[in-house]
Amino acid sequence: MADDIFVQAFVYLMAAVVAVPIAKRFGLGSVLGYLIAGFIIGPFGLGFVGDEGEDVLHFAEFGVVIMLFVIGLELEAEKLWNLRRSILGLGGLQVLATTVIIGAATLALGYSWQIALAIGLILALSSTAIVLQTFNEKGLMRTEAGQNGFSVLLFQDIAVIPIIALLPLLAVAEATGGDDHADDTLISGLPGYAQALAIVGVVVGLIVVGRFLLRPVFRFIASAGIHEVFTAAALLIVVGIALLMGEVGLSPALGTFLAGVVLADSEYRHELEGDIEPFKGLLLGLFFISVGASIDLDVITGDWLNVTLIVVGLVIAKLAVLYALGVRFGMGFDQSTIFAFSLAQGGEFAFVLFSLAEEGGVLTASLTSPLIAAVAISMAITPLLFLLAEYVLLPKFGTKETENREADTVDEENPVIMAGFGRFGNYVGRLLRANGVGVTVLDNNANHIEVLRKLGIKSFYGDASRMDLLRSAGAADATLVILSMGDVEKQLELVHKIRHEFPGLTILARARDRRAATRLLNAGVEHVYRETLDSGVKMGTDALGMLGFRQHQAVRAGRNFRYHDEYHLREMAEEAGEDHMVPISVARERLELLERTLKSDIEDDGDEERDAGWDTDSLRRDVASRSGPGSEDG
Amino acid sequence: MPSPPSVLILFAHPALEKSRVNAVLIEAVRGLPGVTFRDLYEEYPDFDIRVEQEQSLLLEHDIIVLQHPFYWYSSPAILKEYQDLVLQHGWAYGNGGEALTGKTVLQVITTGGRETAYQREGINRFTIRELLVPFEQTARLCGMDYLPPFVAHGSLAMTPEAALKHADDYRRVVEALRDDAVNRDPIREHDRINSEAAMAFVGVRVGG
């Protein structure tokens, strides 16, 4: 069964498709759904998945790598710098305090300080994958708890590197393992200082390449206009960086995170994010399933008391440290509670580190087996802890503090999103900006974006008809969306999606001509702007002025014409109904429209009424009838 | 002798093509030496008055003439817009607002009703001077000398000949103001500068 990759894929996909929606329906979150699915298909459930689950787990760890890349994309270097206090302070103290407490407990049980330190460090880490996925799902990423949780996880991910370096030094026994992971790298033959230099060189190189080389490359790829090649390029970068990092012994997740940060202020950020998102989601799902499948029921049942004690001890120790730190760093009760409960588990790095420790002779298999089981269980119960905090603790003791306090500093979204910044949109955008209105521009012309970026306008490369792109541009918080691109088919598609996904957004649409305007109107867009109407009317107005009309009269005539034209357009659109879909030839339809328009102009001939207030004819008749004809006034 | 432009005529008529009297009046003064004629509706068909330009024009001239039909006891809309925007606080009035001090304002209006209609017993119940008080006070607040207005009554039933007579009077008044040949003090006693009695003091050299 396991020979056939399709059968395996079928089992995993089926498990996800069945378990996740059900878990969601019961309010358990997708992570728990995946974990349960994994457990069910795993060796201790239905047994569909056997030993190869381990390999799948390694493969699926790539999901974590991609996730860090996506997180990096959302985190510009400046924002990262702003988080330094919570990353170093909160993250550093969390790792330190948790290590000390767990280490002390281990010491108290009679183990050596080396073992105590190794276990303390490894268990201090939490699960980036589970926590961030849950934060995103519950919309907590932008709360204080979410931001601080993220900072702690980031610190932990960085801390993995020195921990890997430290483990061999803690060895009391001879290394038992076969290959030491740290030994297969390209640079492992080099002396220590050269290794350090190589690592620094790779990181600096990554930043330089990301900053200066990737953007032109993306521009070149984007200008080819083949969407899947762009996706391929995005994946290529992530895979490439993961490989490179592996070669120098750095965490691939950290490397891709760094690459993400470097690309975070580039115009391709949203496009990259949107392209890579589905891979991230699927691989993470696979990762969670693998974790679920790897829960070893034999170890748990054989040693259930110890495992239970470890899980309870681990969770309580973490909760205590996290809650204390949360309060110490100025979070209120509610936020500290969420913060503590979200991070109170062991992390996926523990699996890797425990096996390294075992191979390195720091820990024995009899120690690591229950610990690994405990970590897996603590990860599995994380969604339950979230639920406990959310539905039991907070409703009972919560103060319902407003969570918005920090939200502003995280990212300010512009009130206007513009799709298209070409020969039409540029007027709209410039006018808005000149009046201090922030505009986020989406355009699939890489050259437009290039220019806009240089001028400091927030702009992103991508096809605006993709909802994920629109969403990451801030559509959920925006007030207006301006469809200033010229392609009516794309506009209609967008209108349909926007009205469905963001019913609160007001749509303004440019229309190439009357026909496009009619279609947009009938699609329910209230604010439709024909691109040539105003300049045409303006030219007519000026022509009237040059022919001797009073300027003010000419302007009024132009406005009046415009008013009637808009009125008739709307009337005809209503009349047309779904007519525009009837496949008569476009040229003929245009002619018919023109004919009807001209006719309506003739019908509108009696416009004199609007100037009656300035007209003295009737007054004159009045005066004449009272004082008789020919009367004269000095 | 060539004199620097000293009279600025601010003319406001939203539908000059329908006008009978104003069209004749402006012909009499447009192009006179030393007179700047400014057609506000023609200049600003969108009502987007360029304030700085208008202010510098006011600074360049000593006599400001406001010419317009008398609509609903006031001026057409653009003249109100002009006052609201151009006569800025701190420039035309208020603290530091002395740009217009010492200048002269003459209002030139046409009314549909006859002079008898602008009396206590008349249909309009107030005199022209009373009804023009907002303009007079605006001028005063800006430190300007507000002369009795030039009024062409009964425009609805005016013969072409009568209109030409008004036009001639209008030209004489403008030229006299330009040449500083108006004996202002005795004129102040009169309701309008173009009454027969008042015209006697127009065109005579002051102190000459």
Side-chain angles (χ1 to χ4, degrees), chain A residues 545 549-553 555-556 559 608 611-617 619-620 623-624 627 630-634, chain B residues 11 13-18 20 39 41-42 45-47 71 113-115 153-159 162 166:
Chain A
F549 278 72
R550 297 268 297 160
Q551 293 299 344
H552 189 235
Q553 281 309 315
V555 166
R556 283 170 57 82
R559 281 192 201 139
E608 292 299 304
D611 283 355
W614 296 331
D615 211 330
T616 49
D617 282 349
L619 266 173
R620 249 198 297 278
V623 169
S627 35
S631 81
E632 206 173 306
D633 192 8
Chain B
F11 174 65
H13 199 308
L16 188 62
E17 60 279 12
K18 300 184 187 205
R20 303 157 77 90
D39 186 340
Y41 274 105
E42 196 70 358
D46 285 319
F47 273 54
Y71 282 172
R114 300 168 187 218
E115 192 155 23
H153 280 299
S155 66
L156 292 172
M158 195 180 286
T159 61
H166 278 305

Side-chain angles (χ1 to χ4, degrees), chain A residues 57-67 235 238-239 242 256 283 287:
Chain A
L57 182 65
H58 280 305
F59 175 67
E61 271 168 16
F62 192 58
V64 182
V65 172
I66 296 183
M67 180 175 67
L235 278 175
V238 176
V239 173
T256 49
L283 280 172
F287 172 74

Side-chain angles (χ1 to χ4, degrees), chain B residues 7-24:
Chain B
V7 178
L8 174 65
I9 299 178
L10 298 172
F11 174 65
H13 199 308
L16 188 62
E17 60 279 12
K18 300 184 187 205
S19 153
R20 303 157 77 90
V21 182
N22 272 292
V24 178

